[in-house]
Amino acid sequence: MRIILIEDEKRLSHFIKKGLTENGFAVDQAFDGEEGLYLASHETYDLVILDVMLPKMSGVEVCKKLRLLKKETPILMLTAKSELEDKVEGLDSGADDYLTKPFEFGELKARINALLRRSYHQVSNNLTVDNLEVDPIKHTVNRAGKMIKLTPKEFAILELLLRRKHEVVTRTQVIEHVWDYNFDSLSNVVDVFIGTLRKKIDKGYNIPLIHTLHGVGYMATDKKPAS
Ligand code: CA
């Protein structure tokens, strides 16, 4: 899942980015409101993390403008402890949730996952297909009860495929949701990752769950995909 992090406190921003990257998220950073608005309205993101107090344009303004542009990306606002009014204003301006600074990283992860679950219309926290189970908060994968170790990028691809299970996910969509702004989209790296993912997930099982539909994209399903 790809996130735009709009936060002017550099140390906090780098701390959040490092933690989220270790959890398989792709994170782009913006350090003022204008840059954040530009990226959030021109690139594809699964979530916006938006600080309220920002140089050039406030988080509340960024939020309002994104909603005016009909961007429906979930927005998680960060507010300082004393800014109760900011919370109210933030939610009024179209934010989906807020988190008060300082916060525990685990709390941030839980909020992010709740918002992603909502935006992908999922009922439960865990993502499953057949006997494969992914826990996006604990960051664990098991098939038939057997733990499977994945790299952060493999995990991110699997998470995306499972959030959209039984649907075709194109290679471009994988790139947009799993890699950050600096990714060179001409390389065949997605196919390489899918190859290793399939080995780890499907090898030794009768029902393959990760499918490549040549020229179309990829799909996580326990049914045989048409085409
Ligand atoms: Ca700030």
Side-chain angles (χ1 to χ4, degrees):
M1 303 283 104
R2 187 177 174 199
I3 292 177
I4 173 78
L5 171 59
I6 311 172
E7 164 63 75
D8 60 315
E9 286 170 53
K10 290 224 160 75
R11 276 184 60 186
L12 179 61
S13 176
H14 294 318
F15 169 77
I16 294 174
K17 175 168 177 160
K18 185 171 178 281
L20 291 179
T21 306
E22 285 166 2
N23 280 273
F25 289 95
V27 181
D28 289 335
Q29 291 162 292
F31 299 99
D32 67 63
E34 279 178 8
E35 185 191 15
L37 176 64
Y38 180 84
L39 283 173
S41 52
H42 287 80
E43 294 285 317
T44 304
Y45 293 104
D46 295 290
L47 186 88
V48 180
I49 300 177
L50 180 60
D51 186 31
V52 171
M53 298 286 281
L54 288 169
K56 294 192 186 170
M57 187 187 289
S58 80
V60 171
E61 278 304 303
V62 172
C63 190
K64 281 183 187 160
K65 292 218 157 84
L66 284 174
R67 293 312 186 218
L68 276 176
L69 292 165
K70 305 282 177 224
K71 281 274 168 189
E72 290 177 357
T73 319
I75 297 175
L76 173 62
M77 276 207 159
L78 304 180
T79 65
K81 206 165 193 164
S82 56
E83 301 166 334
L84 184 68
E85 280 176 25
D86 289 342
K87 282 176 202 164
V88 177
E89 207 188 342
L91 292 171
D92 280 350
S93 67
D96 298 276
D97 198 4
Y98 63 83
L99 192 54
T100 306
K101 293 181 194 175
F103 49 81
E104 301 271 331
F105 188 73
E107 177 67 17
L108 176 67
K109 259 188 2 178
R111 299 293 184 96
I112 289 172
N113 192 61
L115 289 174
L116 291 175
R117 200 179 71 207
R118 241 196 278 163
S119 83
Y120 281 90
H121 308 292
Q122 276 141 10
V123 184
S124 74
N125 263 327
N126 284 3
L127 307 165
T128 58
V129 61
D130 191 56
N131 56 1
L132 176 69
E133 192 174 17
V134 171
D135 183 331
I137 295 181
K138 292 202 191 110
H139 208 71
T140 55
V141 180
N142 79 76
R143 184 157 184 186
K146 191 170 160 253
M147 294 298 271
I148 299 170
K149 268 188 94 96
L150 299 182
T151 66
K153 281 287 177 256
E154 288 164 0
F155 186 92
I157 294 171
L158 183 63
E159 182 183 352
L160 175 66
L161 294 180
L162 283 185
R163 286 196 191 275
R164 298 181 48 184
K165 69 177 169 181
H166 311 310
E167 286 175 36
V168 176
V169 181
T170 67
R171 182 202 255 203
T172 305
Q173 286 167 339
V174 173
I175 291 166
E176 281 176 349
H177 290 271
V178 172
W179 273 274
D180 65 27
Y181 196 66
N182 302 311
F183 181 68
D184 166 17
S185 59
L186 292 174
S187 71
N188 69 340
V189 71
V190 178
D191 303 288
V192 175
F193 274 104
I194 292 280
T196 56
L197 195 53
R198 186 179 295 122
K199 258 185 222 148
K200 289 185 182 180
I201 301 295
D202 286 337
K203 207 173 167 208
Y205 293 94
N206 289 330
I207 302 173
L209 300 177
I210 313 290
H211 301 265
T212 297
L213 293 88
H214 288 287
V216 186
Y218 315 97
M219 191 190 289
T221 185
D222 50 354
K223 305 173 182 98
K224 201 173 159 47
S227 101

